[in-house]
Amino acid sequence: MSTILEKISAIESEMARTQKNKATSAHLGLLKAKLAKLRRELISPKGGGGGTGEAGFEVAKTGDARVGFVGFPSVGKSTLLSNLAGVYSEVAAYEFTTLTTVPGCIKYKGAKIQLLDLPGIIEGAKDGKGRGRQVIAVARTCNLIFMVLDCLKPLGHKKLLEHELEGFGIRLNKKPPNIYYKRKDKGGINLNCMVPQSELDTDLVKTILSEYKIHNADITLRYDATSDDLIDVIEGNRIYIPCIYLLNKIDQISIEELDVIYKIPHCVPISAHHHWNFDDLLELMWEYLRLQRIYTKPKGQLPDYNSPVVLHNERTSIEDFCNKLHRSIAKEFKYALVWGSSVKHQPQKVGIEHVLNDEDVVQIVKKV
């Protein structure tokens, strides 16, 4: 393990020494590709039998969405979980009080949302320090990350945490790169650029691909991409997760400082201890999770508004709705009656392809 870490630090120091200009761009691209490969090896080592992972870390997924609390030790993650979900997670004035994942669950707008209080991360977590790799591995399975920061400590902590998560293949508040990439058996490297590129050219793309031993591929760049974006697409194991920064302990700062904090994007100032600004936080959480509630209506009865079927924004067709209820319903499906904003008439008869909106009411009619 130390050899990989030594290689990573050697490459990072070489990248820091190298000037950025047109002449060195190919060399820097090659170094970035090598770095990404070494990082991947660090996450999932080559060969060898799978050992028994450290017990008691991963938690069974329950509810409609999962939110993970990530942050340095002693920033108030456990206090926040206790006050939001009413679950007891040990709280004390020393660092590393929480040693395993503590789950909690809240019901918000009819959806069950699982909250995970993860142990504190320290600098160097992505290289395996302080159980950091297990913590970040659990963070990868979340639909949304709450990055809890202490507003009395410098905001440099935000950068450090982002760097740790990025080293593990998690990209926060980003969209997947709009790059088409397909490996071939023959035909060489074929690069198409839809827009003028400021960084990538054919030589640099070939250099990066040759590091991965790829010599035949089709690549289409649909925007002004960087070498990092290209490496992310080739690696293919990157996860894009929305993130909300929670600046905790605002009861200890002045109003003027609070005004400045409010201007930071994706950020909510809170006080976990005094329950301040939880409404804002939950509202923003709902917005970032992008969940949709669909109400069911049995024939001849009123809709059931108490227990909606919660779907994720990308998968909101009638078929997804049927599968969420039970796998067999889609096979026996005849048509559905829908009331709500996704249809022109109330009710409207729709097929299995129809895409639903938030708070639609659905009645399914089966084949006889």
Side-chain angles (χ1 to χ4, degrees), residues 261-332:
I261 283 172
Y262 247 112
K263 289 174 184 157
I264 303 169
H266 311 294
C267 171
V268 181
I270 57 160
S271 170
H273 185 67
H274 294 286
H275 298 229
W276 290 353
N277 210 13
F278 279 7
D279 307 344
D280 255 13
L281 170 60
L282 291 170
E283 195 54 53
L284 201 65
M285 176 188 78
W286 182 260
E287 192 185 309
Y288 276 54
L289 284 171
R290 294 167 61 213
L291 299 175
Q292 297 200 357
R293 295 155 293 173
I294 312 296
Y295 302 110
T296 53
K297 180 187 177 305
K299 194 171 180 184
Q301 292 174 25
L302 287 170
D304 177 12
Y305 287 116
N306 294 327
S307 49
V309 175
V310 178
L311 301 175
H312 284 272
N313 202 323
E314 284 84 38
R315 300 185 295 276
T316 55
S317 68
I318 293 274
E319 189 176 1
D320 298 315
F321 172 74
C322 292
N323 288 338
K324 187 85 190 238
L325 292 172
H326 197 275
R327 292 278 152 154
S328 65
I329 295 179
K331 292 180 187 129
E332 300 167 8

Side-chain angles (χ1 to χ4, degrees), residues 216-277:
N216 304 297
D218 284 335
I219 291 174
T220 306
L221 305 173
R222 299 196 181 97
Y223 70 110
D224 188 4
T226 63
S227 49
D228 290 324
D229 295 339
L230 181 61
I231 290 167
D232 282 356
V233 170
I234 297 165
E235 283 278 348
N237 63 354
R238 305 294 189 243
I239 288 186
Y240 298 85
I241 305 179
C243 173
I244 298 176
Y245 304 104
L246 310 185
L247 284 161
N248 192 12
K249 308 188 185 176
I250 55 165
D251 50 318
Q252 299 172 20
I253 59 169
S254 65
I255 295 286
E256 289 78 18
E257 288 171 308
L258 193 57
D259 288 341
V260 173
I261 283 172
Y262 247 112
K263 289 174 184 157
I264 303 169
H266 311 294
C267 171
V268 181
I270 57 160
S271 170
H273 185 67
H274 294 286
H275 298 229
W276 290 353
N277 210 13

Side-chain angles (χ1 to χ4, degrees), residues 73-74 78 90-100:
S74 276
S78 301
E90 198 176 330
V91 179
Y94 55 85
E95 302 200 333
F96 296 109
T97 322
T98 308
L99 295 173
T100 59

